[in-house]
Amino acid sequence: MSVKDALREQRIETPSWAYGNSGTRFKVFAQQGVPRTPYEKIDDAAVVHRLTGVAPTVALHIPWDRVDDYGKLASYARDRGVALGAINSNVFQDDDYKLGSVCHPDATVRRKAVGHLLECVDIMDQTGSRDLKLWFADGLNYPGQDNIRARQDRLAEALRETYDRLGSDQRMLLEYKLFEPAFYATDVPDWGTAFAHCLQLGDRAQVVIDTGHHAPGTNIEFIVSFLLRAGKLGAFDFNSRFYADDDLMAGAADPFQLFRIMHEIVLADALKPAAGIAFMLDQCHNLEPKIPAIIRSVLNVQEATAKALLVDHGALDAAQRAGDVLEANAALMDAYNTDVRPLLRELREDMGLDPDPMAAYRRSGYAEQIVRERVGGEAAGWGA
Ligand code: PSV
Ligand code: MN
């Protein structure tokens, strides 16, 4: 398959919450024109897809995107040329979850949390979503606070009950995160823990790699390669970070890392939708305007992918077999150092799109339109 054909087939999912207001624990700076409902988030996601041509699905977060009729939301999306993607559960924002959700020492709280996960599967049945994405804020702040091993047992039990509720064409994606909000011990801190639980559960349980969820310096492409080999990589939450889980635009902090990740994907022929890897963004745009930031992120993922597709695998393989360290490294760097922007502009023209989606967005007047129209009501977000 040609590089252009592979890029044309690429699918990047945008997160509904990135269109809403967000901030740090210090302040949420509200922006004008932010969606007030899940429907308006879909309007914005549809704009991103219309301009980029490669972002046809939008992930929902429950309860942030709770509506009365999910079938109606799905058909609203369809009418705008997009579809609903992964359903993200949220068992971290109720007071009951102070000491955890599915790992909580009190069985009543655990039951409530599992009830929410099962409700998310009900929602998937209505939206036609394939993936249930699970992230748990569960963990401990102090040594001795709870029994680490017992919490793993509770986690396994909750995952099993949820897994057993999935339909045959639905999947569970388990996300790990080293720390935050727990600071001493997180119950799913790393890919090894997520992998072990997914292995026990079965084929439809897969690991999600959120690129912001590791210790600084972690070699993420190693994790990608390992999980691909094991058939256990289900999805990415792309974003970039300088220090912790910064949730900045994908490809902004370390475009070379994104390239190295996409190189592993291309090597495993896992870019095509049929390979079943969901390439999602999970970001927050606290300072920059949201829609163009999401467009920029999609373009950054596309650029990293184009470079990965340009790697000369013949030259790379020959250099590796010959033990030629410098030539092998050069084969990668030649691709990384290629300016792929002309190729991507050409691809967009072939697809009937504007070659410069950022400029097309600026010219479209959509930013001014939503500021004019979205007055009154409550802007979506973390309570700005
Ligand atoms: C947690 O930090 C996380 O990465 C999970 O994916 C959440 O669902 C998401 O952020 C949204 O806050
Ligand atoms: Mn995430």
Side-chain angles (χ1 to χ4, degrees):
M1 188 191 280
S2 77
V3 169
K4 267 201 202 166
D5 286 344
L7 288 166
R8 197 193 306 264
E9 267 203 20
Q10 184 169 27
R11 299 283 172 263
I12 299 163
E13 181 158 310
T14 71
S16 68
W17 54 100
Y19 297 98
N21 279 325
S22 58
T24 65
R25 63 200 169 104
F26 299 103
K27 172 72 180 163
V28 172
F29 294 105
Q31 294 188 14
Q32 286 186 294
V34 157
R36 295 156 303 170
T37 64
Y39 290 91
E40 290 181 346
K41 292 179 189 172
I42 285 169
D43 290 339
D44 293 358
V47 169
V48 173
H49 180 48
R50 206 175 312 131
L51 292 169
T52 62
V54 291
T57 54
V58 50
L60 300 185
H61 214 295
I62 310 296
W64 300 339
D65 296 315
R66 206 183 274 297
V67 290
D68 292 337
D69 185 344
Y70 290 96
K72 192 172 137 204
L73 190 68
S75 66
Y76 184 88
R78 221 172 9 254
D79 290 346
R80 276 147 195 82
V82 289
L84 304 179
I87 299 298
N88 288 253
S89 57
N90 180 325
V91 282
F92 50 87
Q93 281 192 316
D94 286 0
D95 285 339
D96 284 337
Y97 299 139
K98 187 166 90 170
L99 298 179
S101 63
V102 294
C103 302
H104 198 286
D106 181 342
T108 322
V109 177
R110 296 204 295 277
R111 183 89 320 264
K112 170 177 164 169
V114 172
H116 172 70
L117 304 185
L118 299 177
E119 179 205 355
C120 286
V121 185
D122 294 341
I123 293 172
M124 291 162 69
D125 290 340
Q126 296 163 54
T127 56
S129 300
R130 177 190 57 179
D131 295 333
L132 170 67
K133 182 143 74 71
L134 305 179
W135 172 69
F136 300 108
D138 292 54
L140 309 174
N141 269 7
Y142 295 100
Q145 182 186 320
D146 195 8
N147 182 314
I148 292 174
R149 179 171 169 166
R151 291 176 75 92
Q152 285 298 310
D153 291 338
R154 298 170 200 150
L155 172 66
E157 205 178 301
L159 291 175
R160 168 56 60 197
E161 186 174 347
T162 310
Y163 185 85
D164 288 346
R165 160 68 184 87
L166 291 173
S168 57
D169 51 353
Q170 293 173 334
R171 309 189 302 178
M172 172 189 278
L173 302 176
L174 182 57
E175 185 172 351
Y176 58 91
K177 180 172 176 174
L178 180 59
F179 83 108
E180 197 203 22
F183 295 117
Y184 160 60
T186 295
D187 291 307
V188 189
D190 52 28
W191 68 269
T193 309
F195 178 65
H197 280 283
C198 288
L199 267 187
Q200 280 204 328
L201 288 164
D203 287 348
R204 282 169 297 119
Q206 305 251 305
V207 179
V208 188
I209 299 179
D210 183 313
T211 47
H213 287 188
H214 308 85
T218 300
N219 180 337
I220 298 178
E221 61 269 27
F222 172 83
I223 303 170
V224 173
S225 173
F226 185 98
L227 291 176
L228 282 168
R229 179 174 178 274
K232 278 291 181 196
L233 179 59
F236 287 96
D237 267 3
F238 283 133
N239 51 62
S240 61
R241 56 83 67 88
F242 288 98
Y243 300 103
D245 187 21
D246 303 349
D247 278 341
L248 301 173
M249 295 186 293
D254 190 349
F256 185 42
Q257 179 187 64
L258 191 53
F259 161 78
R260 299 191 312 260
I261 290 172
M262 294 314 296
H263 170 59
E264 292 302 328
I265 292 289
V266 171
L267 273 181
D269 195 20
L271 186 63
K272 52 181 193 272
I277 315 284
F279 297 92
M280 308 184 285
L281 303 177
D282 177 8
Q283 315 183 146
C284 296
H285 308 293
N286 303 344
L287 308 177
E288 64 279 21
K290 295 157 200 308
I291 299 171
I294 296 166
I295 295 173
R296 170 59 69 208
S297 310
V298 169
L299 304 188
N300 286 349
V301 175
Q302 234 185 348
E303 282 181 24
T305 308
K307 290 177 183 210
L309 286 163
L310 288 178
V311 172
D312 181 340
H313 291 144
L316 180 65
D317 192 51
Q320 288 176 348
R321 282 174 195 280
D324 191 335
V325 176
L326 292 178
E327 278 305 306
N329 179 240
L332 272 196
M333 295 314 292
D334 280 348
Y336 179 67
N337 288 321
T338 307
D339 184 358
V340 293
R341 290 172 301 177
L343 170 76
L344 288 167
R345 278 197 288 273
E346 215 179 278
L347 170 77
R348 292 186 195 111
E349 273 166 354
D350 293 354
M351 292 168 73
L353 301 171
D354 190 293
D356 182 349
M358 293 295 286
Y361 179 72
R362 269 194 303 276
R363 276 197 316 272
S364 72
Y366 188 76
E368 295 76 16
Q369 181 195 328
I370 54 180
V371 168
R372 254 190 338 266
E373 291 177 359
R374 293 177 181 170
V375 277
E378 202 183 322
W382 304 349

